[in-house]
């Protein structure tokens, strides 16, 4: 009986081994997919905060440029007078 | 229903039918599973590349912005440190001619339109059935409309909203002109300038004691009429904000256009009747506290009830048709419903069943064209044919005023278009040469009409799909309109 079962048993053992192998591979694939998703989310959130900071900086620079322009052009006589005297 | 952006392709590794002629089935299953795993790895790598590509593009854009910012900072630094000791050539004209600093907020718009769809979702979408190629029939139409747009039009709601906004701006400008004429006629009868200065001092003196004790000027003049007038204006003051809150509660995204029409309904009434009413619109918050003072009885309850219902006719229908917009939301993306419709009628919801037998999807929304349209950024996108960015607008009456059932109207359009042509041609041919002036005038009139239509079309094309510009234009017109009206009415009030 054991001789009869042996090839079948061997096959079943082999099948179980194969399945375990396949299961390991598929669970690693799922881990990779999870990692990619979380990486994507975190990257997007960081890029979004960067974007906000960039826009805030850009607006500040615009304001400073405009103010400096007004200052330089509106109050030149002050500097001119100082240099002359 | 959340849509999966990226789907790794062979979802089930082992679920596959085995061929019958195989002896060692277990090995066969193992081999099939391994092959599917390799396919899954392939699709995973493709999606990973897509993912990193998107992130890379975004990061690249930010890098460019950071570089430009850095350059600007350097330039500013140079300017600030090195230019002070130098002499700068200045002309006073340069200072006055330069326009004042105006920070422009770039608003995000057109966020959820077809071009902004991420690539994987676009691919998923392309696997669906496209709509039938009805555009092949457009060449047989008499009016210049896309035949496919009667079946499914992705830009329908945006076009509707745009038309409504433009129409509203025109209406507001017309009203403005009318009121300006009226005010000019009224102001010609009085002399305003010397009196203005006096009454402002009165106003400040009354406010000296504290704003709560400011008794409105009306009461000093007429007792009963003043009471009724102040009560009426008190309710008039209450209702716009009450309406604002109620319109805000409807949860429409461009909520700002909606409260303004309600305020407009109060501002236009003629000055002699509502002079002291509208005079209080200049500072409604201050006056409301004064009206709550115990000297006045509380406003009668029936008044606020009547005014909101009277001035909210265009808002009462929205609760009624929530079924039809979702039905068009179902009806507009063609791929799933046609397959569902073909396979089993009970499968799709009954609303789409009722929407489909009526010829194309647009008629149900067209029938409620008088409503405020749903906000354009949340466009339902449907139709495989990508419409050109400004879709060709139909000449003549705008679509909301177009007839609701499109079956009868295309013939009526085509019949309507030739008769005017024929009517102009017939009189042009009928008068003899002795009336050559009339003939030439008629011909010129006909040509002028064509040119006007072309100008209108060009204007519509030039407006484009800039949501922010359209909205801002309309709001600017409304604000300037209300400011002008209130300031002019305030002057009228104080001049008394």
């Amino acid at each position: 009986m054991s001789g009869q079962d042996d090839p079948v048993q061997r096959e079943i053992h082999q099948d179980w081994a194969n399945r375990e192998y396949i299961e390991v591979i598929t669970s690693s694939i799922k881990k990779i997919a999870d990692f990619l998703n979380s990486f994507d989310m975190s990257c997007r959130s960081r890029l979004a905060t960067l974007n906000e900071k960039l826009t805030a900086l850009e607006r500040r620079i615009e304001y400073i440029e405009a103010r400096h322009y007004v200052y330089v052009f509106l109050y030149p006589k002050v500097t001119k007078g100082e240099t002359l005297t | 229903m959340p849509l999966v952006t990226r789907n790794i392709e062979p979802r089930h590794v082992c679920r596959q039918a085995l061929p019958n002629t195989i002896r060692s089935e277990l090995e066969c299953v193992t081999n099939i599973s391994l092959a599917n795993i390799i396919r899954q790895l392939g699709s995973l790598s493709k999606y990973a590349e897509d993912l990193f590509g998107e992130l890379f593009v975004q990061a690249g854009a930010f890098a460019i912005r950071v570089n430009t910012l850095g350059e600007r900072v350097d330039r500013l630094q140079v300017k600030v440190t090195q230019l002070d000791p130098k002499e700068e050539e200045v002309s006073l004209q340069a200072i006055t001619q330069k326009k004042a600093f105006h920070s422009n907020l770039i608003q995000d718009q057109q966020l959820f339109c077809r071009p902004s769809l991420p690539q994987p979702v676009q691919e998923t979408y392309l696997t669906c059935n496209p709509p039938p190629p009805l555009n092949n029939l457009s060449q047989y139409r008499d009016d210049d409309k896309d035949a496919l747009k009667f079946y499914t039009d992705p830009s329908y709601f945006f076009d509707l909203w745009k038309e409504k906004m433009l129409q509203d701006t025109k209406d507001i400008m017309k009203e403005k002109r009318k009121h300006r004429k009226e005010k000019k006629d009224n102001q010609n009868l009085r002399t305003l300038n010397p009196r203005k200065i006096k009454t402002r001092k009165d106003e400040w003196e009354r406010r000296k004691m504290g704003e709560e004790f400011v008794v409105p000027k009306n009461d000093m003049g007429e007792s009963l009429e003043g009471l009724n007038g102040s009560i009426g204006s008190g309710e008039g003051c209450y209702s716009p904000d009450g309406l604002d809150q109620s319109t805000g509660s409807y949860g429409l995204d461009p909520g700002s256009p909606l409260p303004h029409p309600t305020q407009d309904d109060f501002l236009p009434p003629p000055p002699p009747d509502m002079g002291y009413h509208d005079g209080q619109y200049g500072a409604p918050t201050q006056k409301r506290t004064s009206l709550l003072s115990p000297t006045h009885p509380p406003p009668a309850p029936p008044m606020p009830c009547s005014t909101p219902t009277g001035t909210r006719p265009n808002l009462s229908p929205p609760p009624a048709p929530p079924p039809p917009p979702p039905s068009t939301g179902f009806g507009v993306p063609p791929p799933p419903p046609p397959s569902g419709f073909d396979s089993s009628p009970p499968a799709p919801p009954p609303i789409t069943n009722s929407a489909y037998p009526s010829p194309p999807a647009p008629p149900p929304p067209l029938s409620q064209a008088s409503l405020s349209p749903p906000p354009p950024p949340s466009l339902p996108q449907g139709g495989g044919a990508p419409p050109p960015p400004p879709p060709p607008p139909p000449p003549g009456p705008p679509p909301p005023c177009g007839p609701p059932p499109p079956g009868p109207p295309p013939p009526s359009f085509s019949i309507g278009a030739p008769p005017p042509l024929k009517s102009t041609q017939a009189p042009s041919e009928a008068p003899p040469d002795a009336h050559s002036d009339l003939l030439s005038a008629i011909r010129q009139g006909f040509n002028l009409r064509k040119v006007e239509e072309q100008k209108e079309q060009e204007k519509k094309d030039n407006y484009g799909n800039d949501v922010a510009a359209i909205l801002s234009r309309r709001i600017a017109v409304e604000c300037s309109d209300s400011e002008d009206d209130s300031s002019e009415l305030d002057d009228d009030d104080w001049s008394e």
Side-chain angles (χ1 to χ4, degrees), chain A residues 39 44 47 51 61-62 69, chain B residues 52 54 62 65 73 98:
Chain A
F39 180 79
R44 278 185 203 272
L47 284 174
N51 187 19
I61 283 202
E62 276 185 33
Y69 185 84
Chain B
F52 287 116
E54 283 180 12
F62 287 168
R65 278 168 73 181
V73 166
K98 290 283 178 181

Side-chain angles (χ1 to χ4, degrees), chain B residues 36 54-55 70 82 226 353 371 380 448 462 465 474 483:
Chain B
N36 278 338
E54 283 180 12
L55 292 173
Q82 292 184 0
N353 259 337
L371 300 176
L448 280 176
N462 287 341
N465 288 342
R474 185 176 185 276
E483 278 173 11

Side-chain angles (χ1 to χ4, degrees), chain B residues 431-453:
Chain B
D433 291 337
H435 299 279
S436 57
D437 289 342
L438 183 58
L439 213 168
S440 56
I442 290 170
R443 281 199 183 130
Q444 279 175 3
F446 178 58
N447 287 338
L448 280 176
R449 222 177 295 152
K450 257 194 191 171
V451 165
E452 276 175 15
E453 282 183 11

Side-chain angles (χ1 to χ4, degrees), chain A residues 11 15 18-19 21-22 25-26 29 32 36 39-40 43-44 47 51 54-55 57-59 61-66 68-69 72-74 76 79-80 83, chain B residues 13 26 29-30 33-34 37 40-41 44 48 51-52 54-55 58 62 65-66 69 72-73 76 79-80 84-85 87-90 95 98 101 103-105:
Chain A
E11 234 183 87
D15 182 57
N18 293 343
R19 282 177 192 263
Y21 179 64
I22 289 172
I25 297 181
T26 45
I29 291 181
I32 296 177
L36 279 177
F39 180 79
D40 184 35
C43 253
R44 278 185 203 272
L47 284 174
N51 187 19
L54 271 179
T55 32
L57 276 178
E58 281 170 352
R59 288 180 65 190
I61 283 202
E62 276 185 33
Y63 173 69
I64 292 176
E65 283 175 350
H68 174 75
Y69 185 84
V72 163
F73 277 115
L74 199 54
T79 56
K80 272 191 190 172
T83 52
Chain B
V13 179
L26 293 174
V29 167
T30 308
S33 317
L34 288 170
I37 283 176
Q40 279 188 346
L41 281 171
L44 185 72
L51 204 77
F52 287 116
E54 283 180 12
L55 292 173
Q58 273 195 357
F62 287 168
R65 278 168 73 181
V66 163
L69 257 186
R72 282 166 85 176
V73 166
L76 257 187
K79 254 194 193 178
V80 169
D84 280 327
E87 290 185 4
E88 276 276 329
E89 288 186 10
V90 175
I95 301 165
K98 290 283 178 181
F101 173 69
S103 89
N104 49 347
L105 268 176

Side-chain angles (χ1 to χ4, degrees), chain B residues 11-12 65 71 83 247 259-260 315 388 414 426 431 443 461 468 475:
Chain B
R11 284 206 64 195
H12 300 291
R65 278 168 73 181
E71 289 171 7
L83 281 180
T247 55
H260 293 279
L315 292 173
S414 53
R443 281 199 183 130
D461 290 342
I475 290 176

Side-chain angles (χ1 to χ4, degrees), chain B residues 185-393:
Chain B
D185 292 339
N186 286 334
Q187 283 175 3
N188 286 337
L189 304 172
R190 316 178 194 178
T191 55
L192 284 179
N193 288 334
R195 291 189 193 179
K196 261 192 219 176
I197 303 169
K198 284 185 205 169
T199 51
R200 279 180 206 241
K201 282 186 187 171
D202 282 345
E203 193 68 25
W204 291 121
E205 280 177 10
R206 280 190 285 126
R207 287 188 192 172
K208 242 195 317 187
M209 307 307 294
E211 284 193 9
E212 299 94 22
F213 300 110
V214 170
V215 171
K217 207 178 158 190
N218 320 324
D219 293 348
M220 311 215 278
E222 304 142 318
S223 57
L224 283 176
E225 284 187 33
L227 264 182
N228 290 336
S230 58
I231 291 171
S233 56
E235 282 134 18
C237 287
Y238 283 130
S239 29
D241 287 325
L243 283 173
D244 285 346
Q245 290 160 12
S246 56
T247 55
S249 70
Y250 270 102
L252 291 169
D253 287 347
S256 49
L258 282 176
H260 293 279
T262 59
Q263 287 177 10
D264 275 345
D265 294 337
F266 287 101
L267 292 172
D273 296 336
M274 307 275 285
Y276 51 89
H277 285 242
D278 295 313
Q280 302 199 352
Y281 281 103
T285 51
Q286 300 167 1
K287 305 290 182 180
R288 215 176 300 121
T289 56
S290 68
L291 286 166
L292 286 174
S293 65
T295 55
H296 298 293
M303 281 293 290
C305 298
S306 61
T307 45
T309 54
T311 55
R312 275 203 296 174
N314 55 342
L315 292 173
S316 46
S327 81
T328 57
F330 281 124
V332 167
S339 53
F341 194 68
D342 292 338
S343 58
S344 56
I351 298 169
T352 57
N353 259 337
S354 66
Y356 268 100
S358 67
L366 272 179
S367 61
Q368 306 127 23
S370 59
L371 300 176
S372 52
S378 55
L379 283 179
Q381 291 297 332

